[in-house]
Amino acid sequence: MTLAEDAIAWYDANARDLPWRQPDTTPWGVLVSEVMLQQTPVVRVEPAWHAWMTRWPTPAALAADPPSEAIRMWGRLGYPRRAMRLHACAVAMVERHGGDVPSDLDQLLALPGVGTYTGRAVATFAYGQRHPVVDTNVRRVVSRAVEGKPDAGPATTAADLAAMEELLPASPAVAARASIAFMELGAIVCTARSPRCPSCPFEKVCAWRLDGSPPLEGPSRKRQTYAGTDRQVRGLLLEVLRHATGPVPQQRLDLVWTDEVQRARALSGLVEDGLVEPFGTASFVLAGDSFEVQTL
DNA sequence: GAAACGTGGAC
DNA sequence: TGTCCAAGTTT
């Protein structure tokens, strides 16, 4: 048995029943799920995906609404630029591809918000093509099982794709199955913390396991703390704008953060990013919001 | 290639 | 309680 075959057998018996994996899911549904899942856990994506697909069953439906509605619908999934790019992506698909999600990898990669992972994921899972699909789960599984390292180092796209290519069966359909199986394995068994090795189909062949599961050595790279960052301030500002039923006066936004310099920087950042627009002289709205001018 | 970019749950 | 982590992309 190859690693891919083991993984597929395990997947067939243990895969989660996720809505975007249903056979009747459209390529658009797959694309939406992939974008929502970028850095966001499955449990938070599921309800958001259902709501999104109900409101906008096609790219054309989303493209017909302003980006502000996409940003609102995104809610608290995080990284709201993804909502904006998904909207831009829908507009681009209407313009370039007649409202269809393209099946060609290069055309996918040319869309806003679609990078190396997402493009290959859609080409593979929505269209059944044969491409290595490498996300953080796959990188960790390959790193441990094949290379014997406790965890994947920094992403090296070309090398990561080549490593996964080595493990991929020849048949496109089976290769797609292998990719989703590796991802699922990394998500629920070969996890970053406390991997469930006794439940792993690779337990007897995993290079890391055979080496005694050595821990990661050296100090872990420091992560940026969230509290007090511009990101937090942007989040607070956007939260107010999402709930707005009209233009939000500057004075209202001033309440979310006391540091004026940082507050101004965060707001101008949101405007530069295209998430927020000035409205009149001293108010702001989500990009694309068109409120009636208030009359006294 | 590093840094920026949200949010919430688990340990 | 604070750190770590979650199907990445863009600049």
Side-chain angles (χ1 to χ4, degrees), chain A residues 32-45 74 76-80 82 117-118 134-137 139-140 155 221 223 231:
Chain A
V32 171
S33 77
E34 295 300 347
V35 174
M36 287 186 169
L37 286 163
Q38 292 168 4
Q39 305 283 281
T40 303
V42 165
V43 289
R44 292 174 54 207
V45 166
W74 200 254
R76 302 186 62 82
L77 275 186
Y79 292 142
R82 289 183 293 166
Y117 164 75
T118 303
V134 177
D135 71 338
T136 187
N137 291 307
R139 291 190 342 101
R140 186 173 52 248
R221 198 168 60 109
R223 292 164 176 270
R231 282 154 95 162

Side-chain angles (χ1 to χ4, degrees), chain A residues 34 38 105-106 108-111 113-125 131-135 139 155-162:
Chain A
E34 295 300 347
Q38 292 168 4
L105 180 54
D106 287 328
L108 283 164
L109 293 173
L111 295 168
V114 176
T116 305
Y117 164 75
T118 303
R120 290 164 176 278
V122 171
T124 299
F125 304 138
H131 301 284
V133 181
V134 177
D135 71 338
R139 291 190 342 101
T156 51
T157 306
D160 294 337
L161 290 175

Side-chain angles (χ1 to χ4, degrees), chain A residues 15 37 66 71-72 80 112 122 135-136 150 171 205 233 241 265-266 281 296:
Chain A
L37 286 163
I71 296 166
R72 284 207 172 79
V122 171
D135 71 338
T136 187
S171 150
V205 296
V233 183
L241 289 159
R265 189 172 62 224
T281 54
L296 300 176

Side-chain angles (χ1 to χ4, degrees), chain A residues 138-193:
Chain A
V138 172
R139 291 190 342 101
R140 186 173 52 248
V141 171
V142 172
S143 180
R144 286 175 179 165
V146 179
E147 300 166 25
K149 298 190 293 188
D151 259 310
T156 51
T157 306
D160 294 337
L161 290 175
M164 187 58 199
E165 168 67 41
E166 288 294 308
L167 302 174
L168 237 39
S171 150
V174 182
R177 203 89 179 143
S179 286
I180 194 67
F182 268 69
M183 289 175 59
E184 189 76 344
L185 200 50
I188 67 182
V189 172
C190 192
T191 54
R193 284 184 297 192

